[in-house]
Amino acid sequence: MSDDSTSMREDDREWHASFKPSWGPEATLVYAMPSNVGSSEAAVLQDSKLRLVSEGRDVRFARFIPTPSLTPNSLSLQKSRTVITKEHGVPLATPQQIPFRDLAAAIGSGPAIEKSAWTLASILFDELQPGDLGGARDPVYEHRIRKDLLSSFWSSLCAGNAQEAVTSASSAEERAIAHLTANDIVKACEVLIEAKDFHLATLVAQLPADQIMAEDMAGQIDEWRKLCVLSEVTEPIRALYELCAGKVGICEGKKGPVEDQAKTFVISQRFGLEWERTFGLRLWYATGAEESIEAAVTQYYNDMRSDEPIKPIPAFTKDASREDILWGLLKLFAALKDAISFSSLADIIAPRNITDDPADFRFSFQLHNALVHLLPTSTDRATFDRLSHDFATQLESQGEWLWSLFVLLHLSDSEDRRKAIQNTLSCHAKSIAPDETAFPFSHLISDFKIPARWIWEAKALEARSISQDHVQEITYLQNANNWHEAHQTLCRTVGPQCIIEQDYDTLAKLLDGFGEGASKIAEAWQYGGEIYEDFLDLIKSPLPADETEEADRGSEKDPKASAVERLLDTLPSLVRERQGQFAFEEGIAIREIASEVASVIAKGDYKDLDASRILQLPLTDVQRRRVSAEMTLNRFRDAMGGSSR
């Protein structure tokens, strides 16, 4: 595409001139809209009141609508049971197995779907408790006990919808069927008895049917079909007989003359059942007492592939491509028993199957950490890493950056984990007090095992980029033992400023902060920090009181003389190495240091130093003339015998 706008099509020019939406810190969306367009009405975003108004368009800022219960007790419980270790020097969180019943208890009065999911997972995957076993100690009964627990749970799950169906039913038989869809056989019988249908009530009372009864009921239905009287039996009664025969899918009709025709229908569709009650029919009436949970799951799984139209779609959507998380847990249980094929854990716990909020990833993250121990190996690491990133972003956008860090500790790749942690620390460094014993600093290094060096480096980056406090930046970098960065900032920014402003105390304090660190950057230190140290020695060291003393001005014991000697060597070398290319303030500082060296020599305090070396110092023309005049004056005084110091 050409850069010449005159050769572009109109839509290309508009695209080039447009303001591209982008994401800023804390998941803030930055975008532009015409001034006369109202605020965004997106389901998950809300506009900030702050706008940058310009002619023709406004730059606006939007953030995700806060999600309630983003850090519930169940997540805190999982956090407390997570082991954090080091992998390649990077903290790594490893979730530990937690009984699902504990997670269900932690929910309290939280979201119903979460309570149901944890409860179902407890029934399917937790070890049975003594209270569940009752008097049965033989492990052979485990599948029957789990099925009984599931039956009780599923009855309570279906009770609400079943009661609504009872209220709207138009006949006693339909009301009985509605009660049976919640496994309430007693009430179904009561309804039939009230309607004086004692024969049907007697049959229903024997549910779930054994093999003999099921065969008898199936034979009765076939006999009606052969005698062409099936058309005289109402659909609700036919459905009740089918249930007694152990058939919960299709009610076969009969073809023939109009007067003998009977409609074929699917029980779940005919009586308006949701998927929960549709599966419940198979759990309660289509599998024998000795059959396991996976038998009912397999039957529903296979029926959906043939003639069962009611799919396990979540209640909050009509999208048939989504699957309810409860059905996902049932599938996982059956797959672990090798009863059905298993796709992936990622498909089961995908956020789209759990919530209608496309920006809510919390419960999916929790489910993954709770269920992953059930699988010997996981091939969905990339998917789970993306889930962790998404949930961490969601937490950070709502100010929960410490929780965000905890989530990022679960990333599988150590390098990806390191970058994500350091990026988050950099964004929130201002919230961390510079005290390793105070919260949250202590929490990060003791509980999250985050190296203190990373935190100090994050604070240094904040001091450099946001606060523009380069003195603090150097201090933080020194605390992080990042000597190269600290030294570079000293030489390019703080050191020159201190020289120009004559803030020698601050400079001395920063130089002292390097301590032994200076030896680790010896080559760079010679042309940086050491120059500033020698300069401070030059201006602060007292002159010898008497020239006749053993420690005279040219002696090695005089720090000022040593500083002058080193600066005479180092400054010209630095200029040659840098080819005279210095930042503006740095160049001024170097010339000020050179001027001070030249002035000391010009005064004649150190006669054994070659005064001609002054010519190699990086001085301005004005400084050279001033030094030359001072040297001439001193020589004249010496010649006249009136030299004074």
Side-chain angles (χ1 to χ4, degrees):
M1 187 178 292
S2 174
D3 291 334
D4 184 5
S5 62
T6 60
S7 63
M8 294 181 184
R9 299 194 309 268
E10 181 64 26
D11 54 350
D12 287 338
R13 284 198 296 271
E14 290 181 358
W15 185 86
H16 270 271
S18 66
F19 184 94
K20 311 302 186 297
S22 61
W23 290 101
E26 298 182 357
T28 300
L29 177 65
V30 184
Y31 69 103
M33 292 290 285
S35 303
N36 58 354
V37 175
S39 299
S40 169
E41 296 183 357
V44 296
L45 292 172
Q46 62 181 7
D47 276 339
S48 167
K49 294 182 179 179
L50 175 64
R51 294 184 182 183
L52 301 180
V53 180
S54 62
E55 185 176 356
R57 68 184 179 189
D58 299 345
V59 177
R60 304 179 183 181
F61 307 90
R63 298 183 67 180
F64 288 108
I65 296 174
T67 304
S69 303
L70 196 56
T71 56
N73 292 336
S74 57
L75 184 60
S76 297
L77 176 60
Q78 287 181 302
K79 180 183 176 183
S80 68
R81 306 281 182 88
T82 299
V83 174
I84 299 177
T85 56
K86 289 284 189 71
E87 180 191 62
H88 306 302
V90 182
L92 170 66
T94 304
Q96 301 300 296
Q97 184 174 351
I98 304 176
F100 292 100
R101 65 176 61 86
D102 292 349
L103 292 166
I107 287 293
S109 58
I113 181 61
E114 295 184 30
K115 184 78 170 181
S116 297
W118 291 132
T119 302
L120 176 59
S122 175
I123 293 170
L124 298 176
F125 306 116
D126 278 347
E127 291 187 6
L128 295 177
Q129 298 294 295
D132 300 328
L133 295 171
R137 297 296 180 183
D138 194 332
V140 74
Y141 296 109
E142 179 178 330
H143 75 279
R144 295 184 61 178
I145 295 170
R146 288 193 189 276
K147 188 176 182 182
D148 289 344
L149 292 172
L150 177 62
S151 177
S152 177
F153 165 73
W154 213 258
S155 295
S156 63
L157 188 70
C158 297
N161 289 331
Q163 188 56 46
E164 291 181 6
V166 170
T167 304
S168 60
S170 57
S171 66
E173 290 79 11
E174 288 190 24
R175 286 194 292 276
I177 291 174
H179 283 303
L180 290 177
T181 59
N183 198 32
D184 196 340
I185 298 173
V186 173
K187 287 188 177 179
C189 292
E190 290 176 352
V191 166
L192 294 172
I193 291 173
E194 289 177 3
K196 309 296 185 186
D197 194 338
F198 302 110
H199 177 70
L200 198 52
T202 302
L203 295 177
V204 169
Q206 299 178 64
L207 290 174
D210 57 20
Q211 184 176 356
I212 296 175
M213 178 182 177
E215 291 174 355
D216 288 346
M217 293 300 100
Q220 177 65 70
I221 296 171
D222 287 340
E223 191 67 21
W224 285 343
R225 189 176 291 110
K226 291 176 184 178
L227 296 175
C228 298
V229 297
L230 194 62
S231 59
E232 300 177 15
V233 183
T234 65
E235 291 180 357
I237 292 178
R238 288 171 54 195
L240 286 171
Y241 270 84
E242 292 283 357
L243 292 179
C244 291
K247 298 179 180 180
V248 297
I250 293 179
C251 273
E252 291 288 347
K254 179 177 174 57
K255 297 180 180 179
V258 176
E259 64 274 12
D260 295 334
Q261 288 181 1
K263 181 181 177 181
T264 297
F265 62 88
V266 180
I267 293 177
S268 60
Q269 195 173 42
R270 165 63 179 80
F271 297 100
L273 306 187
E274 310 77 25
W275 84 266
E276 293 90 345
R277 292 194 287 161
T278 302
F279 169 73
L281 294 182
R282 289 159 175 80
L283 177 66
W284 297 313
Y285 312 121
T287 56
E290 296 297 328
E291 292 186 275
S292 60
I293 295 173
E294 55 265 30
V297 175
T298 302
Q299 186 175 132
Y300 186 37
Y301 180 82
N302 293 331
D303 287 349
M304 283 191 292
R305 294 187 166 196
S306 55
D307 49 27
E308 177 55 68
I310 304 301
K311 311 297 182 185
I313 302 173
F316 55 80
T317 183
K318 295 182 179 180
D319 184 355
S321 67
R322 301 185 182 189
E323 285 190 346
D324 195 293
I325 181 60
L326 300 185
W327 171 243
L329 293 173
L330 289 167
K331 280 203 308 180
L332 176 60
F333 177 80
L336 292 174
K337 299 290 186 180
D338 295 323
I340 62 174
S341 61
F342 175 68
S343 55
S344 71
L345 181 59
D347 292 338
I348 291 175
I349 65 170
R352 65 194 305 269
N353 294 333
I354 297 173
T355 174
D356 58 348
D357 184 352
D360 188 4
F361 308 95
R362 191 258 306 163
F363 192 41
S364 294
F365 175 82
Q366 288 188 257
L367 283 170
H368 165 255
N369 286 350
L371 294 170
V372 69
H373 71 274
L374 298 173
L375 307 174
T377 58
S378 175
T379 58
D380 298 317
R381 289 309 317 171
T383 303
F384 296 138
D385 284 349
R386 186 165 59 251
L387 176 63
S388 297
H389 272 296
D390 290 339
F391 183 37
T393 300
Q394 181 187 4
L395 286 162
E396 189 176 6
S397 70
Q398 297 190 29
E400 298 286 356
W401 65 272
L402 286 173
W403 275 104
S404 178
L405 276 173
F406 168 72
V407 172
L408 292 173
L409 297 179
H410 293 76
L411 296 175
S412 61
D413 182 73
S414 58
E415 183 62 18
D416 186 21
R417 195 164 62 249
R418 179 188 65 79
K419 290 179 180 179
I421 293 170
Q422 290 181 328
N423 286 340
T424 303
L425 288 173
S426 298
C427 290
H428 301 279
K430 198 171 184 66
S431 302
I432 306 174
D435 181 356
E436 295 190 14
T437 63
F439 185 87
F441 206 128
S442 60
H443 175 60
L444 295 174
I445 59 179
S446 62
D447 296 339
F448 287 176
K449 303 293 190 295
I450 294 176
R453 176 172 57 86
W454 293 5
I455 304 172
W456 288 121
E457 287 177 342
K459 290 195 68 63
L461 183 60
E462 186 276 332
R464 174 192 299 175
S465 305
I466 308 300
S467 302
Q468 298 289 310
D469 188 343
H470 299 293
V471 174
Q472 283 284 26
E473 177 192 349
I474 294 176
T475 302
Y476 295 150
L477 288 171
Q478 290 171 337
N479 291 341
N481 293 334
N482 192 336
W483 307 114
H484 286 280
E485 286 284 342
H487 184 251
Q488 188 174 31
T489 303
L490 173 75
C491 296
R492 299 296 174 87
T493 306
V494 178
Q497 288 177 353
C498 289
I499 295 296
I500 294 170
E501 298 172 4
Q502 298 184 359
D503 186 3
Y504 303 136
D505 290 338
T506 298
L507 181 58
K509 182 179 179 181
L510 293 176
L511 289 169
D512 289 342
F514 283 92
E516 296 180 358
S519 63
K520 299 181 180 179
I521 51 172
E523 185 175 350
W525 185 257
Q526 180 184 359
Y527 294 104
E530 188 174 72
I531 291 176
Y532 291 104
E533 277 189 333
D534 287 341
F535 173 74
L536 292 179
D537 287 341
L538 189 64
I539 63 173
K540 291 186 176 182
S541 297
L543 290 175
D546 189 343
E547 292 185 37
T548 63
E549 292 183 4
E550 184 178 346
D552 62 9
R553 294 184 179 108
S555 171
E556 293 182 1
K557 296 181 181 180
D558 181 2
K560 186 168 185 177
S562 301
V564 172
E565 184 70 31
R566 283 193 299 270
L567 288 171
L568 282 171
D569 291 334
T570 306
L571 289 174
S573 299
L574 177 62
V575 173
R576 287 193 300 271
E577 183 180 314
R578 299 275 292 274
Q579 297 180 350
Q581 301 297 316
F582 296 96
F584 179 69
E585 290 185 344
E586 187 181 9
I588 293 175
I590 292 298
R591 286 191 289 272
E592 285 295 321
I593 294 172
S595 176
E596 186 67 28
V597 174
S599 178
V600 169
I601 297 175
K603 291 177 182 178
D605 292 329
Y606 300 93
K607 299 184 183 299
D608 58 341
L609 294 176
D610 185 1
S612 64
R613 295 172 68 182
I614 293 177
L615 299 176
Q616 301 175 15
L617 294 174
L619 300 171
T620 64
D621 292 339
V622 174
Q623 289 170 333
R624 288 183 187 279
R625 287 195 293 269
R626 179 173 57 79
V627 170
S628 296
E630 190 171 357
M631 290 178 66
T632 302
L633 178 60
N634 286 332
R635 287 183 180 181
F636 177 75
R637 288 173 177 170
D638 288 343
M640 297 299 294
S643 176
S644 61
R645 308 212 190 275

